[in-house]
Structure formats: C-alpha cells, structure tokens
Amino acid sequence: MIDPIPHLDPTKPWAWQTMARAALRALAVLATGGAVAAAAPLEFGVDRSNMGTQWTLAWPQEPKASPFMAADYNKPGDFEARRVAVMDGIARVHAQWFRDGFGKGSSDLFVDLVKLVHARGMKILAVFGAAASDYPPGAYLDKEESGCQWGTYPLSKINLAAYQKRVEAQFAAVRAAGESVDAFEIGNELDLYCNDADSPTGAEWAKHQWKWFLSDTQVQTFVRGYAPYLAASVASIHKFFPQAQIITYGNSMPASAPLMEALASVRGADGKVTDYTRLVDGYGSHLYPTSTTTSNMVQDATNSLRYEAAHYPHMSQKPIWITEWNPAGSSWWNGQPWYFQYDAHGQPGGDLNKADDHGVYKAMDRAGAIRVFNQDVVETLRSSATAPVNVSHVFYYSYDSGGPSPKCAHVKYSWPTSLPPTFCIDGMIDPSTGDLLPGVAAAVAGTPR
C-alpha cells in the first residue's frame, strides 16, 4: 500500500457512525468555527465529455438536424474544425471552467484540447481513470460474469506501476507542449459497479431502497482499491503539475457518500491508519435531480448535498465540486416523461415543467430552473447561517446534448427551430442551428436574469 502522507502520525480510527450522528458531528464542527466565512464566489463550468477521443466527436444525436453534418470538417478522420467550433461555442457561454477526460490512446488530442481551453480564457478540469492495459491478465470480468454490458474491472486489481507509467506519459506530453492542467478529478463515478466492480451493483442498491447498507468489510473492500489508486494518481500529478487542484471522483449516488468518509480511516496491512482525504482539495459530486416541478428539483438536490456534506471529512477546508449536473438529464433513465414539455397551465404542448401544488414555484423553462438551482440550492446552502454546505464549483452537463425520444412527445419550443417532433434537448445549443439557446447559456454561467 502506498503511504500518501510520509512522516504524518496516523489518525485514530473512529467507529462507524450512523447518518444522524455524522450530521450532528458536522454541525458541531460548524458551530465551533468550521464554517467558511465570506466564501469565495461560486465558479461555473461546462462538461462536454469525450472531446479528448476522436471517435466520440460526433454531432448531437439527430444527424439530419445537425448543422455540423453539412461542413467538410465532419468528413471521416477530420475533426479539428469540429473541435474548434465546439470550443468557440462553449467560450460564448462565459464559463470559467471546462471539464473533460484524457483519452486512452495518443495524448495529441488532449494536448490540443488543453490549448483550445486555455486560449479561450478557461481553466480545465481533467478526468482520468484506468485503462484495460493497466490490469493484469485475468482481472477483467466479462459481461456474463459481471452483468455489465461492456464488462468491468475491480479497481483493487489494478497494476499501479503500469497505470502510473501510462498517465505520466500523457502528463509529460502536456508539459512538453508548454501547457498545464488546472485541476484533476480522480476517476468517474466509481461508486457504480460497472465502473468499479469493488462497488455494489445497482440491483443491490435498489434492494435496500438506495439507502446505505454495506458492512464494514464491504466498505474496506472498496477503499482498499480506491485509496492506493488515489495515492498513486496524486503522486503522478504532483510530479508534473504541483499546483493543480485534486478532487475525488464524481459521486453518482448520494447514498454512497460514506465511501468518502471511510477514506479518512483506512487501515493498512501493517495496522497503520491513514487519512487519504488529506490528499485531495475537494470532493466530486454528480447531481441529476428530478425536475417534474422546480420544487421537486430543489428538494432533491438540497437533500443530496446535505447528505453528502454530513459524511465528507474536513468539509470546511475541502469543498464539494458539482462536476456534473443537469435539470433534465435524469429523465432519460428514470422512466418519467421529459420534464419540460408543458405550458403554464400544466397541459402538454410547451417547453416548461409543471408548477408545484403549493405555489412555491411556477412552471418554468430550463433557464429558469437552472437559475433556481444556482440560487435556491447552491447559494442558499453556501450561505446558511446554521449549517452551511461548502460548495465551490458547479459544472453543467452538457454543451450540445439532445436526441429524439417518445418521452419528448409533446415538447414545443418557444423559439423558431427546425428540430423534428419528439426531439428534446438537455444541452445549451439548438442542434438544428448550432445557436446557443435563449437564456440557457447565461443561466449556466451563473448570470442573474
């Protein structure tokens, strides 16, 4: 096991706490001065995943409606102009950050991406994770064995030396190009079984009503995979980018927040207990609340962030980075209709969600819902007098996502568009024109109405 903090006396192990006791502990810290006074302004970013890998640089999901198909630069193998067009569009949002991942192959595309981001006055948050080449033979769990459609690997089986050699070659290429990386997110949604088979399956979470249920043994199985991987990643980053900020992987389920809590007390084979959270500057979080009504969205996101904050160690010094969030994205997988396809009276045939029964929030469009999230969820939690939640960054997912679906049967946009029927958008552009959607871009960047 890699010791991430040489010469540091080990922290004392604490007993596992219930959620209530963890929350009380967090409140006690805040009451004794742990709260962040005069918090720095919230920083906003945009996620546009997989710009660093050539094969994913395609149009939004309806080719016939996409302006990018008409241009010569979308011919096979020629993606540079498409990359520039996307980055120019994101720059018009006036976001401060751009989030994307290293590719698994040549570093050329990622180096080019970093240059494009910095040339447009943004900082880059780089996500990177394990590749198949980082594992020894026999570690792979195929589709039949794992239940994951693409198979998976347990992170605890990774060959850290092979992993570090690969990522350091990519880091060296960035440095050789005279560039740097501003921040790193170590892994992506590793609390999902298909991303890390040391994690519980979705079926197991569902069986327990998405509540925390793992035994101490199961928790330690996870942290003994992630903790050394985190330590190895941080060591490699510091060799090339000593000033970069580092956060944990984006947590995809609030219920798995105790995994981060467990990182603060990992017992090694020699009996030594190490607080691996001291290696990071913050905690990643991914939020996809339900937005049938804006009230539901606010309640869902607020509860999620409070639960996470109650479990994350050293929260006054290590903020939450919301590195993915979208008010409509969860509709793609939760079995509900598209949220924003009603009129002001709650009838089908518009581009609003529904008003709540108590009149707290009227029916509103996505731009309005995004503003409410920024103000009534994030800023309200940050400024709470009794139990502030330390959130520092918010990244919107994503820039140009959209597609046709039966869930979108009634959506009718309030701006002129040539989008086909049953097409819905959770990005920031109209895929038929490439233009930024009215109001959405400003809301994503935190601009008040």
Side-chain angles (χ1 to χ4, degrees), residues 156-297:
S156 58
K157 302 295 185 182
I158 194 171
N159 180 331
L160 289 175
Y163 165 72
Q164 287 184 293
K165 181 179 179 180
R166 178 179 62 82
V167 299
E168 287 183 15
Q170 294 177 321
F171 296 169
V174 176
R175 286 290 302 272
E179 284 290 347
S180 186
V181 177
D182 303 287
F184 288 89
E185 186 172 344
I186 311 302
N188 182 67
E189 297 185 350
L190 294 179
D191 55 327
L192 294 180
Y193 179 78
C194 284
N195 293 347
D196 176 9
D198 291 328
S199 299
T201 66
E204 288 176 304
W205 282 109
K207 187 189 303 181
H208 292 84
Q209 291 77 51
W210 302 96
K211 296 178 181 178
W212 187 244
F213 67 92
L214 297 183
S215 67
D216 288 357
T217 299
Q218 289 170 309
V219 170
Q220 291 304 313
T221 297
F222 175 86
V223 298
R224 285 176 180 157
Y226 186 66
Y229 169 73
L230 174 64
S233 301
V234 171
S236 292
I237 289 169
H238 282 169
K239 287 170 63 174
F240 293 88
F241 312 108
Q243 303 305 315
Q245 297 181 81
I246 300 173
I247 62 173
T248 61
Y249 67 82
N251 202 52
S252 70
M253 297 182 292
S256 57
L259 290 175
M260 294 296 99
E261 185 176 36
L263 277 178
S265 55
V266 181
R267 185 179 296 277
D270 58 359
K272 178 181 178 180
V273 176
T274 301
D275 181 357
Y276 283 85
T277 66
R278 294 185 180 276
L279 288 170
V280 301
D281 300 296
Y283 303 97
S285 178
H286 294 178
L287 294 179
Y288 291 96
T290 58
S291 300
T292 46
T293 69
T294 302
S295 179
N296 285 345
M297 179 195 72

Side-chain angles (χ1 to χ4, degrees), residues 87 98 112-124:
M87 293 311 303
F98 177 77
D112 181 59
L113 177 64
V114 175
K115 291 180 177 179
L116 292 174
V117 170
H118 286 159
R120 285 155 181 78
M122 294 183 287
K123 297 178 182 179
I124 187 162

Side-chain angles (χ1 to χ4, degrees), residues 51 82-92 98 113 116-117 120 122 399:
M51 287 284 285
R82 167 70 171 132
R83 291 162 64 84
V84 172
V86 170
M87 293 311 303
D88 284 345
I90 291 174
R92 294 200 305 272
F98 177 77
L113 177 64
L116 292 174
V117 170
R120 285 155 181 78
M122 294 183 287
Y399 170 68

